[in-house]
Amino acid sequence: MTTPNSKVTARSIADDLREQIRTGVLRPGEALPTTRELAESYGVTMKTVSSGIDSLKAEGLVVGERGGRRRVRSDRPITWNLTRFERGQRRDTAAMDDWSTSIKEAGREPEQHVKVFSEEASAEVASWLALSPGDEVVVRERSRLVDGHPFQLSTSYFPGTIANGTPLTQAGDVAMPGGILKAIGHPQHRVRDEITVRMPTPEETERLQLPPGTPVAQHVRIGYGEQGPVRAMTTIAPGDRHVLVYELEV
């Protein structure tokens, strides 16, 4: 019987496998060696190996499958340039909005599912849009997928006085050249971004299929027209699927 190597711990195993994932030795979607194989390789017990791998699962680097096999998470992150997003000459077309166009340009496949409804503005939404709580807002709620996998939950709020009677109330993934707000006479002239990093709610975890321990970035973008706010958009972006980029002149 082999004596366990006391110098190898669950943490050091996790560190070693994490480095193999980072450097590409273990590729996205690749199955890890079995627990028994790793235990023999590191000279430790299977329990120690399982504890190390559990750490990687909690970080979202490794996912489990039926039958007990573990694989390197295969979702490739997208680079989301928030400086260019919706700035200047928007890349909206009649078929795709600015977000979908940017994903397509990166060689990935975008998909959006949209729900549209009206509701009374909550205190938070009212503060974003300079409204009174209870005022009508039109909501466009999007589930965004990349290559068939959930990547973002994005919800836009528009004052009812601006949105009613316009394409903003149409169901489905509606897009117009230059953006719908510009097309209906309420272009955005500037935006304000607020980013919060937090743990997801149970609903967000389910809808985004998040591994345990995966944080999300909550990105709120408030768009201002000539007279004040015309839209507030909040996007939930999983931390394991996004690189957020800003480019600023200094």
Side-chain angles (χ1 to χ4, degrees):
M1 180 175 179
T2 302
T3 302
N5 186 346
S6 61
K7 295 183 179 180
V8 178
T9 64
R11 180 172 180 176
S12 66
I13 292 172
D15 289 344
D16 184 48
L17 293 175
R18 186 188 302 107
E19 182 66 11
Q20 292 186 48
I21 293 171
R22 186 190 70 81
T23 57
V25 174
L26 288 171
R27 300 182 301 276
E30 183 176 348
L32 269 64
T34 66
T35 302
R36 184 178 299 277
E37 290 170 341
L38 288 171
E40 293 177 355
S41 174
Y42 288 109
V44 297
T45 65
M46 294 174 62
K47 182 178 179 180
T48 300
V49 169
S50 294
S51 181
I53 293 177
D54 284 345
S55 297
L56 299 180
K57 290 172 67 177
E59 295 173 28
L61 295 176
V62 171
V63 295
E65 294 182 338
R66 290 182 179 178
R69 202 68 192 263
R70 282 74 59 97
R71 292 184 181 274
V72 179
R73 188 172 181 83
S74 60
D75 287 331
R76 290 184 294 143
I78 60 171
T79 298
W80 193 20
N81 192 312
L82 292 167
T83 309
R84 300 175 186 173
F85 180 52
E86 300 186 326
R87 182 177 182 181
Q89 296 297 317
R90 289 177 53 126
R91 294 164 293 179
D92 303 73
T93 68
M96 295 189 295
D97 64 8
D98 190 81
W99 181 85
S100 293
T101 302
S102 67
I103 297 299
K104 198 76 173 179
E105 289 177 347
R108 312 288 291 274
E109 191 60 37
E111 182 181 345
Q112 298 193 87
H113 302 284
V114 185
K115 296 181 181 179
V116 183
F117 52 93
S118 295
E119 66 180 18
E120 294 182 352
S122 66
E124 183 175 48
V125 172
S127 69
W128 291 336
L129 294 175
L131 301 174
S132 298
D135 284 352
E136 182 189 12
V137 291
V138 171
V139 184
R140 296 185 65 83
E141 185 179 273
R142 292 182 178 87
S143 175
R144 290 172 166 166
L145 292 80
V146 177
D147 300 332
H149 301 287
F151 261 65
Q152 292 182 358
L153 303 175
S154 183
T155 305
S156 294
Y157 303 89
F158 305 89
T161 53
I162 289 177
N164 284 325
T166 75
L168 289 172
T169 61
Q170 294 180 16
D173 188 10
V174 180
M176 303 179 72
I180 298 176
L181 282 169
K182 182 177 181 180
I184 65 175
H186 294 281
Q188 299 177 100
H189 296 300
R190 65 182 180 92
V191 298
R192 170 187 168 85
D193 284 355
E194 302 174 2
I195 298 177
T196 304
V197 177
R198 58 173 174 79
M199 297 308 294
T201 66
E203 180 187 7
E204 291 164 350
T205 296
E206 181 179 0
R207 294 181 63 188
L208 290 167
Q209 300 175 19
L210 300 177
T214 305
V216 296
Q218 176 178 290
H219 171 254
V220 177
R221 172 161 288 187
I222 303 170
Y224 296 85
E226 292 183 356
Q227 304 300 320
V230 294
R231 184 192 70 170
M233 177 174 65
T234 177
T235 301
I236 307 302
D240 61 340
R241 297 166 215 179
H242 291 79
V243 177
L244 305 183
V245 174
Y246 279 92
E247 298 174 347
L248 306 174
E249 294 183 1
V250 295

